[in-house]
Structures are given as C-alpha cells and as structure tokens.
Amino acid sequence: MGYRPYVIIFSTTTIDGRIASVTGFSKLSCQYDLKRLHSLRAKVDAVMVGANTVIKDNPRLTVRLVKGRNPLRVVVDGSLRTPVTAKVYDTTESKTILITSSRANKEKVKYLRSKGVNVFILEDKGEGKVSLLDALKQLYRIGVRKLLVEGGGALNWSLIKEGIVDEIRLTISPYIFGNGISIFRGKGFKDIYESPKLKLVDLFKCECGNEIHVIYKVETHGNTNFTHRLI
Ligand SMILES: NC(=O)c1ccc[n+]([C@@H]2O[C@H](COP(=O)([O-])OP(=O)(O)OC[C@H]3O[C@@H](n4cnc5c(N)ncnc54)[C@H](OP(=O)(O)O)[C@@H]3O)[C@@H](O)[C@H]2O)c1
C-alpha cells in the first residue's frame, strides 16, 4: 500500500462519446474549452498522456492560453513507440517523465535521458504494460499530488480498470462520429455493477453556448475492492 496522487481525467467528446474519428480527427474543443483545459493544467502538478496521443497529436502539454506555470508532463509508453522528436520530449519548455517498461529500446532510453527526460522503467506486466498504480505511487514520491490525465481512450480505460480515477471532467461537443476512438477504450464492463459509480458534482453550459461541461466524482469502483488510499 502507498499514496498516490488525486487523478482527474479531462476529455472532450462527441455526443456519442468519441474523442477521435475513424480517421484520427480529434480537434473537438472550442476556444473556451481549450482555455478551461489550460487553466486546469496550471492547477495540477502533472499532466499524463498515452503513447498514441503523443504519436497522433504531438501535444506540448504546456500552459499557453492562460497565465500559469507549466505542469510536469508524463508519457505512458510501455513499449517506447513514441518518437524521440515528439514535442513533449523537448525539456526546455517543462520537465518530462517517461513511464515505460523493460521492453523499451535501451538506446532510445539513453538518448531521451541525455535530452533531460526522466525515465521510469517499471516491471513489464505483459506486452509492455505496466501497473499504473505503481506509476502513480512513483509520481507521488516525487511530489505529484494532483494529476490531470488527457487521454487517450486506452490510457483512460487502463486507469478506470485499475480503479485509480477520482474525477472525470467531460466536455460534450455537438458532433457525432458514429465510430472512432471512445473516451474509454478497452475490454469493457459487462454491466452497471462492474462499472464505477459516478456522482454528478457540477454541470454547466460552455461559454460558446453549444457545449456542456460536466464534472463527475468516482464514488466507488464497481465490484472490485480497491484498498489503496484516495487523497
Ligand atoms: N478529444 C480529446 O479530448 C482527446 C484527448 C486525447 C487524445 N485524443 C485522441 O485519442 C487517440 C489516442 O487514443 P488511444 O486510445 O489510441 O491511445 P492512448 O491512450 O493515447 O495510448 C495508448 C497506448 O499507451 C500505452 N499505454 C497505455 N496504458 C499503458 C500501461 N498501463 N502500460 C504501458 N503502456 C500503456 C500503450 O502503448 P502500447 O500499445 O505500445 O503498449 C497503449 O497502446 C488519438 O487519436 C488522439 O487524437 C483525443
């Protein structure tokens, strides 16, 4: 047992829960939503994304649309598929941690370390997957108390499945993709008893007048007994 940061997932989806279309189109946020995201980035200690989000979107994960300090950036990439040229590995803007497994290419790890990226190599639990709870505990040890997760769907699902999400902030953008990447992309829960139970804590119309922002807290994590401490 150990401590972990408070985890908030922020995501902007179509009304059918997609964060990207079949072609990978993912620019769903209006200017107010983006500002809301940047304000939240400025309030947390670290921002986390999955490997595919780095590969597809190449985000900087810095605070640019509001005043505030840049958070630590955290990339979860068990097999180290992200390119070393990704913007998030430019440590002149902010610090970056790569969470990977023993499966990662050693030369690539060495190169990223030489660029100033802090690399955590965790146990490979199979096919390069690592325990995200272990990753969160390591982040807590270095001072991360509040963590913002910005997707994508597979990372969101892994965190929900491990029972380590405290809050979900969702912007519903007025589009329908019908297919594509779901906000939670994984094996799936079979019914509402397996699903986490969410409590609606806030809901408002976006300043643009055509989107809804909704905030849920995760009350319990379905059938599974999670014993690690929430803070
Ligand atoms: N609209 C929005 O708000 C929004 C936000 C973010 C992203 N997106 C979109 O979402 C899409 C990407 O989502 P995605 O579901 O494909 O991928 P993702 O969640 O960004 O990345 C998934 C990958 O991260 C690695 N990963 C996740 N959990 C891991 C774990 N426990 N251990 C080790 N590695 C782990 C895995 O790499 P390996 O497979 O190599 O193990 C996995 O395939 C993009 O199209 C992006 O544009 C949209």
Side-chain angles (χ1 to χ4, degrees):
M1 194 136 128
Y3 297 98
R4 66 162 178 85
Y6 185 87
V7 175
I8 305 170
I9 290 180
F10 184 110
S11 199
T12 304
T13 76
T14 59
I15 69 160
D16 53 332
R18 307 293 174 168
I19 57 172
S21 73
V22 277
T23 60
F25 182 94
S26 66
K27 304 257 172 286
L28 289 165
S29 299
C30 72
Q31 54 168 317
Y32 304 100
D33 190 43
L34 276 178
K35 227 170 159 177
R36 198 161 28 243
L37 176 60
H38 281 230
S39 300
L40 189 55
R41 279 182 188 168
K43 286 185 195 128
V44 296
D45 303 304
V47 176
M48 176 183 272
V49 289
N52 289 347
T53 296
V54 172
I55 293 166
K56 296 256 168 72
D57 298 349
N58 197 13
R60 285 160 71 189
L61 303 177
T62 51
V63 176
R64 302 182 302 280
L65 303 179
V66 297
K67 274 202 174 141
R69 52 163 183 73
N70 288 331
L72 174 72
R73 285 104 39 107
V74 181
V75 178
V76 182
D77 184 0
S79 304
L80 195 37
R81 292 183 293 115
T82 48
V84 293
T85 51
K87 288 178 187 159
V88 75
Y89 296 133
D90 175 359
T91 55
T92 56
E93 289 204 296
S94 185
K95 288 183 178 165
T96 303
I97 290 178
L98 164 68
I99 291 172
T100 190
S101 76
S102 44
R103 181 179 276 243
N105 178 294
K106 294 195 174 43
E107 284 307 307
K108 225 169 155 181
V109 168
K110 205 169 149 193
Y111 179 71
L112 285 171
R113 281 184 169 145
S114 77
K115 281 181 69 165
V117 176
N118 196 349
V119 184
F120 292 179
I121 300 178
L122 304 189
E123 186 192 340
D124 181 355
K125 302 273 184 188
E127 297 181 353
K129 293 290 180 289
V130 301
S131 155
L132 293 173
L133 176 59
D134 288 349
L136 293 192
K137 285 180 181 171
Q138 295 239 17
L139 292 175
Y140 188 90
R141 256 176 243 138
I142 59 158
V144 177
R145 297 292 179 267
K146 223 174 211 193
L147 175 73
L148 168 63
V149 179
E150 291 192 32
L155 177 64
N156 291 346
W157 168 258
S158 299
L159 289 161
I160 275 289
K161 189 77 182 70
E162 283 195 42
I164 45 181
V165 178
D166 301 292
E167 201 173 307
I168 299 167
R169 299 189 180 202
L170 185 70
T171 302
I172 302 169
S173 177
Y175 302 99
I176 299 166
F177 282 163
N179 201 340
I181 307 276
S182 165
I183 173 177
F184 295 104
R185 186 164 81 88
K187 193 165 157 253
F189 295 121
K190 67 174 189 292
D191 53 32
I192 58 168
Y193 308 104
E194 264 192 18
S195 160
K197 310 285 174 294
L198 309 181
K199 185 175 170 52
L200 179 65
V201 292
D202 201 5
L203 168 76
F204 55 88
K205 196 193 264 190
C206 178
E207 296 85 330
C208 74
N210 207 23
E211 296 178 3
I212 293 166
H213 189 69
V214 54
I215 301 180
Y216 291 103
K217 282 212 169 150
V218 178
E219 280 202 318
T220 59
H221 281 277
N223 285 340
T224 330
N225 271 330
F226 293 101
T227 50
H228 42 269
R229 174 167 173 175
L230 300 179
I231 54 161

